[in-house]
Structure formats: C-alpha cells, structure tokens
Amino acid sequence: MAGELPRLKRISAKSKPEVAPEEILYTDTDRSGDTLDPDLSSWWWYDSGFRPKGRNWPLIWAYIIEGGGSTKTTSATSMAVIAALDGYPGVVFDLDSNMSATTVLGYDETALKGKKTAIDLLYGRATLDEVALPARYRVGDGDGDDPEEDFEPIENLRVVPGSPAMADADRAIAEDADRNDWFAEILHSYKGDEAVFYLDFPASYGRMPSSVLRMLDEEDSVIPSIKADPKAVKLVKRLTDELERVRDKNRGSRSVPGRPTLKRLILTGTQPLTWPEQVAARRGTAAAEAMYSSVLLPYIRYSADAEKIYEDAVPLPILLPNSVASVDYREVTRCMWIVPYLNECGCDYCPEPGAPV
C-alpha cells in the first residue's frame, strides 16, 4: 500500500499500549465492503501540481467552527498526516493561540524559542518558508541529552506554528488595515508544490478568520469538524451565516476570491460505547443528517484514546494507526480528494456529483 503509516516507537518503560481496546485491524476496504485505493496518483486532480483556476497556491481546507473542543485540530492534523504519508505534501497553519495543532505536530513553546510563528506572518515579519517547520512526532520521553532525538519527521508535511500572541490577531488587524491582506500576500507569493493548505482556526469568528476566509474560492473547502451532539450541530448554522457575511462583504471584489463555501462536514464521536454518550450521539447524528446530508463525510467513530494525541504529541494516524478513528479518517481523506472533482473533465465515465463513489 502506498504511504504505509509508520508505527510509533517508544523507549519508555511507562509507555502506553499502541492498540486501544476498541481498535480493529485496518483493511483495504471501507465499512460498506468497497475496496479503498489510497494511491490516487492516477487521478489527474490528485496531483501536487494541480492548481484551481491556474492560481499559484494549492487547495485550501479550512477547519473552522465557533466552539472549543470541537475536534477541528484532530481532523486537520489527521487528514494532513494521512495525505502526506501517501506522498502528497501539505502545510498545516495553526492559527489558534492555544497551539493545539503545533503541539500535535511536534513543537511546544520551549521548542519554538527563537523561531518564527504564525504571528510573524500576520505582521509581515517573515515569509512562509521562514516560518514553516518540518512536522514531526514524539518517539522519546525527553530524558536524553539531545531533545531532537526524541522526534521523528513526518515526510511531506510542514507546520506553521501557532503562538499565544495570535490571541491579539483581531486587534492587530483592526489597528492596521494593511494587515487584512496578510494571508493574501502569502498566497500570491507562494512558489511551492504542496497539494493542500490545512487551516486550523480558533474557536471564534473575527477579523483574523475573515481575512483568511476571504481568500477561499469555490474549489476550496470549509470543513467544520464537530462532535455528534445536538448542541454542536446547531453551531453549523452560525458558521454558514458567517460565511455568507464574508461573501457579501467581498462580493464583486477583484482583489480577492471572497467565496468561502461549506463543502464538507465532519461528524466525530459517533457510535460511542457508553449509554449517555450513545443518546447524544444518536440525536446529533440524526440532526446532522436532517440538515446537512449533502455535505456529510463518512462518520468518525468514537475512540477513547483519541485524546492521547495531545498528551503524547503524536498525530492520531501515527499514534493509533489501526484505531477505528484512524481508519475512518483514511476514508474521509479519500472522499475529500475524489468527490469534489468528479465529472470535472466532462467525460462519460465520471459519475455525476452526488453519485455513489
């Protein structure tokens, strides 16, 4: 199989087991029994050189929803790692002051001392290549003389590290109108070959998120990642209202695309094991299906060990590659590549959009 995921290597005697109780062996078929083909290199749109409308920057997948603990970071980092290990490079932008994606991809505040972060991009004090760091995951416990030996690199993936200073990003843009173009400047000056920019947003809407969302086109995807809970599902309406506000504000603009679109919805934590969580998950899933069935991706089933990614600073597909959640994220990542571009070429062989894949 292309892009076989490396198993986590631990050196501590206190290390936790790699296999969670509810985990299953990963196979090359999805839950319907259809064969999965992780190697999509023969599909013309699944190409690191593909640029929508001939632009010089890659696809943008924006993980955004107003609400903490929504699983945005888990989804963004999991899908980025899966695609990268399958040979398709990307950059994860951690735009949140809590630095969750940065931590999962191998960097804490100590490791970032003296290094540039996302706030330096916003202020124009550094270029993307000066800020982006090679993504990595922890394999040691920090007891050695060289901290770098505690990490292994994740090929084909970079991370723009977050910073606590990003908490003031909205104010920085309000005080200097030129900063509203910070993300546009990054895109227009981009000369790399990455396939996707993965954007992990803070749990709020403001000037900074708006300055980024205005650069999305219809080919890009706004991807809220929420738990299977009725309260979380209600947050999606507020997101669509925010996207409409951004589109209205930039309608007719020649300088920015201004068309962020909710293309896909990730529902996580389905099929939990305990009864109280089952009730909420069933209600949340039913609500999502009733309101957003056209954009729902395959469900991410509940994994009790998913939170270990923050504790161990290891992305889920590497920490627990055979967990049900990792298997589901593989299927979700495959669908993200295939479904948006079906029938793009206009031939008689591609299914119509919305047809079973």
Side-chain angles (χ1 to χ4, degrees):
M1 180 192 308
E4 182 177 355
L5 292 167
R7 295 305 298 260
L8 179 65
K9 297 175 289 185
R10 294 187 175 277
I11 61 176
S12 170
K14 300 179 180 179
S15 63
K16 299 179 179 63
E18 292 183 355
V19 180
E22 79 275 17
E23 289 183 353
I24 62 173
L25 181 65
Y26 173 66
T27 67
D28 289 334
T29 58
D30 62 18
R31 293 193 298 278
S32 69
D34 294 332
T35 300
L36 294 174
D37 180 10
D39 184 4
L40 302 176
S41 57
S42 61
W43 300 58
W44 65 270
W45 55 81
Y46 196 61
D47 184 342
S48 61
F50 172 63
R51 294 290 183 263
K53 297 183 178 178
R55 70 193 192 193
N56 58 290
W57 62 88
L59 289 169
I60 299 174
W61 294 356
Y63 299 79
I64 182 170
I65 194 75
E66 189 178 38
S70 64
T71 68
K72 296 189 304 293
T73 297
T74 302
S75 293
T77 55
S78 295
M79 294 171 67
V81 168
I82 287 168
L85 293 178
D86 200 32
Y88 297 92
V91 181
V92 175
F93 287 74
D94 189 350
L95 305 179
D96 199 343
S97 61
N98 68 14
M99 301 174 56
S100 294
T102 304
T103 302
V104 171
L105 295 177
Y107 297 90
D108 57 17
E109 289 192 59
T110 300
L112 291 174
K113 285 185 178 179
K115 293 181 172 62
K116 302 291 187 180
T117 67
I119 196 66
D120 293 294
L121 286 180
L122 188 143
Y123 277 108
R125 298 189 293 240
T127 66
L128 174 60
D129 287 337
E130 290 172 336
V131 174
L133 299 171
R136 60 187 189 175
Y137 64 94
R138 181 178 291 278
V139 296
D141 292 332
D143 296 331
D145 295 332
D146 185 0
E148 297 299 315
E149 294 181 352
D150 293 326
F151 294 90
E152 290 286 343
I154 302 174
E155 294 185 7
N156 298 313
L157 189 62
R158 298 191 292 169
V159 56
V160 170
S163 165
M166 287 298 287
D168 294 325
D170 286 351
R171 182 168 58 85
I173 294 175
E175 293 176 351
D176 182 358
D178 289 340
R179 290 301 92 224
N180 197 48
D181 294 325
W182 73 279
F183 193 68
E185 293 170 359
I186 292 173
L187 298 184
H188 287 297
S189 63
Y190 178 76
K191 297 180 180 179
D193 61 357
E194 273 104 359
V196 181
F197 283 170
Y198 306 86
L199 312 181
D200 188 19
F201 282 89
S204 61
Y205 308 133
R207 292 178 182 269
M208 189 279 291
S210 179
S211 70
V212 176
L213 291 172
R214 66 203 281 263
M215 293 306 299
L216 272 64
D217 212 332
E218 291 97 339
E219 286 79 4
D220 303 306
S221 297
V222 175
I223 315 171
S225 179
I226 60 173
K227 293 181 178 178
D229 184 276
K231 294 180 180 179
V233 175
K234 291 180 180 179
L235 296 176
V236 180
K237 175 60 167 62
R238 297 178 65 175
L239 172 60
T240 57
D241 289 344
E242 174 64 15
L243 298 180
E244 185 60 32
R245 186 193 69 79
V246 174
R247 287 194 293 269
D248 285 344
K249 185 175 182 179
N250 295 280
R251 202 178 303 278
S253 173
R254 295 184 178 181
S255 60
V256 300
R259 292 181 290 274
T261 306
L262 195 157
K263 298 283 285 292
R264 296 288 178 260
L265 171 63
I266 297 177
L267 201 63
T268 67
T270 63
Q271 300 181 19
L273 300 179
T274 64
W275 174 250
E277 292 172 328
Q278 284 181 4
V279 174
R282 282 203 301 267
R283 291 177 178 173
T285 301
E289 290 174 345
M291 301 174 67
Y292 304 107
S293 60
S294 63
V295 296
L296 273 175
L297 283 161
Y299 299 145
I300 307 298
R301 289 167 289 177
Y302 176 81
S303 174
D305 290 310
E307 294 181 0
K308 288 182 181 178
I309 65 172
Y310 301 106
E311 177 184 346
D312 295 351
V314 180
L316 183 62
I318 295 177
L319 177 66
L320 297 168
N322 295 323
S323 69
V324 293
S326 292
V327 171
D328 294 344
Y329 273 121
R330 287 187 182 94
E331 186 176 349
V332 162
T333 305
R334 170 182 178 263
C335 286
M336 277 300 300
W337 279 114
I338 296 178
V339 175
Y341 307 109
L342 285 178
N343 210 35
E344 283 281 315
C345 60
C347 72
D348 295 330
Y349 300 99
C350 293
E352 293 292 333
V357 179

